[in-house]
Amino acid sequence: MPRAVAGPEIERLIQLLARMPGLGPRSARRAALHLVRRRAELMEPLASALGDALAKIVLCRTCGSIDTRDPCTVCADAKRDRSILVVVENVADLWALERAAAVSARYHVLGGTLSPLDGVGPDDLNIAKLVERAHDPAVKEVVLALNATVDGQTTAHYVTDLLREAAVKVTRLAHGVPVGGELDYLDEGTLAAAIRSRTPF
Ligand code: ZN
C-alpha cells in the first residue's frame, strides 16, 4: 500500500476511480488530479451528473435494459422496426450494436448467459419475458446476438428451443472473418466457422 499523498477525501476519490474499467491506480491518480484541478468545469458537473443519473436509473420492464426511464429510450422510439428483436447478453452489447448502426431494431437484454458451472440457470435470466415478446404478432424475427463462446452458444440453443412455438424466424450473427482481417492470422476455429457459413457472392 503506497503512502497517502493527499487527504482521505481525495484518496477515497482515487480508490473509487481505480475501480473503473480501464483505469488502474496510476491513471486513477491522474484522473483525480485532473478533476481536482478543473473543479468548476469538470468536477462539479460530474458530481451533479452522477447524482442526477443515480436518482433516476431504472430497469426497462420491456427489454431489461438500463436507462433513466421505463420504457427505455430504445423501446419508446417509435421509428424503430418493430418486426426485429435483437437478443443481447448485456447493455454493453446493446450499446455496441447501436454504435455499429447497422440495424434499427428493438432489443431484449438477457442479463447474462446460461452457465451451469457458475450456477446461472434460465430463471436467473430475462428469458420468460423474451418468449412473451416473441409471441407479439408484430415480431417476425428474433436475432440472437450472443457471444461466440460456449455459454453464449448454449444460451442461443436453449432460447431457440423455447421460441419454436412462436411464429418467428430465429437467426444468429454470422461467425467468421473480421472486416479487414487477413486469413493467415485467424485461428482455426474462426476460419472453420467462416468457411462453414459462406454466403453467395
Ligand atoms: Zn427497453
Side-chain angles (χ1 to χ4, degrees), residues 60 63 72 75:
C60 173
C63 72
C72 71
C75 285

Side-chain angles (χ1 to χ4, degrees), residues 67-129:
D67 203 342
T68 49
R69 59 210 65 199
D70 174 25
C72 71
T73 308
V74 171
C75 285
D77 182 354
K79 290 199 206 84
R80 284 173 186 268
D81 186 345
R82 297 180 67 80
S83 71
I84 304 175
L85 205 52
V86 180
V87 179
V88 291
E89 179 182 333
N90 54 47
V91 179
D93 295 340
L94 188 164
W95 288 2
L97 283 165
E98 281 295 293
R99 272 203 313 277
V103 69
S104 167
R106 292 183 306 154
Y107 291 87
H108 192 85
V109 182
L110 292 180
T113 47
L114 294 174
S115 178
L117 285 179
D118 297 322
V120 182
D123 294 341
D124 301 310
L125 302 178
N126 189 19
I127 289 180
K129 181 75 184 169

Side-chain angles (χ1 to χ4, degrees), residues 14 21-22 28-29 45-46 58 60 111 138 144 161 177 199:
I14 294 167
R29 280 186 187 278
L46 179 66
V58 283
C60 173
L144 301 175
D161 279 344
V177 182
T199 53

